[in-house]
Structures are given as structure tokens and as C-alpha cells.
């Protein structure tokens, strides 16, 4: 499946549904949906995005999910059954995360806190240090587990690398190591 530039741009500002189930222990949080994700209704759907290959290498999924044409019911069920959910800091789709304002990121951060309080995951893994710093006013934050704070409803808060190809210094293997660490902390995979 492919899209023209005009077709993708027609999905600007659309929202996609969160992938959340009743047993969510690990909540991955993207910055916001890209246009390809909005077009297909699936998170991290752009061909070449390294999110699903990294989940597979981390041991979270049994196979590499291909969401480029949308998420199959079997793949959706596999993620939910593994105790994994996906949401975003900002709900609206853009061509690039740089299209978001600092106010949008801060507002999205407040919405995310409400989602975490409702879903009650063990671990919240925000994908991208720059967006985290802006959304939550933590200008000196570093990747990894963040200090315990009362406003995350008891969940551990982690910042892990963004899987976008624009984050060129990360590889599928380095992403998988970071994602496995949060999966172990959440009890989604064992550290064996």
C-alpha cells in the first residue's frame, strides 16, 4: 500500500484510537501520529519505522508486526494480550513532530497523565527525550527511568529512544535493548 503526498496530507490533524486493553502493564507513548499512521489507523505504521522490529527483538512480540496497511486483529490482540498499549502525547497527526507547538505538547502531557490514571499501567515509556522535556517541563531530563513522582498514578516513568528513522544514531538493536528494559520492569517479559 502506498500513498501520494496529497493523500497523506489529507490526514493532517486526524486522530487515531489508542491501543489499550484491560491488562495494560506497559504503555508506550509516541510523540504524535504521523500522516501514514493517520491514513492507516495504526500506530507507527510508516514503512521503515523501527518500532515493531524493535518490539520483536526485545521479546515483546512473537513476530515483526507490519502495520503499514493497518493493524491486523491478530497483531492487535497479540499486543494487548502481552499487556502492551500504545498512545501519544499529542493526539493530532502531523507531517513531523516539529509541527507541534510547546503548548500542544504541554497540554498533551496533561491528557497523558489522565490516561495513565485511568489505565494504571506499571510502566509508562515515552518515546523521545526532546518531547518529554518539553511536555513535562523537565529540561534537564536524561533517558532512562525518571525519578519517582506522585503525578503518574504509581507507574514507573521511563524515557526511551524514539524509533523514527530521523533518530539516526539508534538502531533496531539499541531500541530493542531499551524497550526490553521497560518490558522487564513492567513484567511483560522476563529477564532470562
Amino acid at each position: 500500500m502506498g500513498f501520494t503526498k496529497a493523500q497523506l496530507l489529507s490526514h493532517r490533524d486526524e486522530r487515531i484510537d489508542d491501543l489499550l486493553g484491560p491488562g495494560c502493564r506497559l504503555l508506550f507513548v509516541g510523540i504524535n501520529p504521523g500522516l501514514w499512521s493517520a491514513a492507516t489507523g495504526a500506530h507507527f505504521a510508516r514503512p521503515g519505522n523501527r518500532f515493531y522490529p524493535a518490539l520483536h527483538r526485545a521479546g515483546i512480540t512473537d513476530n515483526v508486526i507490519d502495520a503499514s496497511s493497518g493493524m491486523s486483529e491478530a497483531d492487535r490482540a497479540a499486543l494487548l494480550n502481552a499487556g502492551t498499549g500504545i498512545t501519544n502525547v499529542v493526539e493530532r497527526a502531523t507531517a513531523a513532530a516539529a509541527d507541534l507547538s510547546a503548548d500542544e505538547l504541554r497540554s498533551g502531557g496533561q491528557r497523558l497523565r489522565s490516561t495513565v490514571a485511568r489505565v494504571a499501567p506499571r510502566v509508562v515509556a515515552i518515546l523521545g527525550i526532546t518531547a518529554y522535556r518539553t511536555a513535562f517541563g523537565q529540561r534537564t531530563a536524561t533517558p532512562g527511568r525518571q525519578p519517582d513522582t506522585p503525578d503518574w498514578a504509581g507507574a514507573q516513568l521511563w524515557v526511551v529512544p524514539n524509533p523514527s528513522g530521523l533518530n539516526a544514531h539508534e538502531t533496531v538493536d539499541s531500541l530493542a535493548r531499551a524497550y526490553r528494559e521497560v518490558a522487564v520492569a513492567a513484567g511483560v517479559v522476563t529477564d532470562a
Side-chain angles (χ1 to χ4, degrees):
M1 171 185 268
F3 299 102
T4 66
K5 183 176 181 179
Q7 287 171 323
L8 287 174
L9 288 173
S10 74
H11 293 281
R12 186 184 319 237
D13 298 330
E14 288 183 6
R15 288 159 169 72
I16 61 174
D17 292 335
D18 291 339
L19 180 73
L20 297 171
C24 182
R25 293 173 295 192
L26 173 57
L27 180 60
F28 283 104
V29 182
I31 299 168
N32 75 307
L35 297 178
W36 197 289
S37 288
T40 62
H43 296 272
F44 303 104
R46 185 168 201 60
N49 190 294
R50 300 166 299 172
F51 182 71
Y52 296 110
L55 288 187
H56 175 63
R57 274 203 206 155
I60 297 168
T61 60
D62 292 335
N63 62 295
V64 176
I65 292 171
D66 179 1
S68 63
S69 297
M71 178 81 60
S72 75
E73 284 304 315
D75 288 336
R76 182 179 174 78
L79 287 166
L80 294 174
N81 290 338
T84 302
I86 306 172
T87 189
N88 291 289
V89 175
V90 175
E91 293 179 298
R92 77 178 185 97
T94 61
D99 296 340
L100 302 172
S101 70
D103 285 342
E104 279 183 287
L105 287 166
R106 285 189 290 272
S107 177
Q110 290 301 319
R111 185 194 61 77
L112 177 60
R113 285 186 172 107
S114 296
T115 299
V116 170
R118 179 174 45 84
V119 174
R122 290 182 192 166
V123 172
V124 176
I126 297 177
L127 303 168
I129 189 68
T130 302
Y132 172 75
R133 288 174 177 157
T134 302
F136 301 102
Q138 301 294 321
R139 290 181 292 167
T140 60
T142 58
R145 185 170 178 188
Q146 302 304 297
D148 290 332
T149 59
D151 49 347
W152 289 100
Q156 291 180 23
L157 179 64
W158 292 69
V159 178
V160 295
N162 190 295
S164 166
L166 297 175
N167 193 3
H169 63 278
E170 296 292 343
T171 65
V172 170
D173 287 334
S174 66
L175 293 167
R177 283 190 297 276
Y179 298 175
R180 183 170 183 83
E181 188 173 16
V182 295
V184 168
V188 170
V189 299
T190 59
D191 196 18

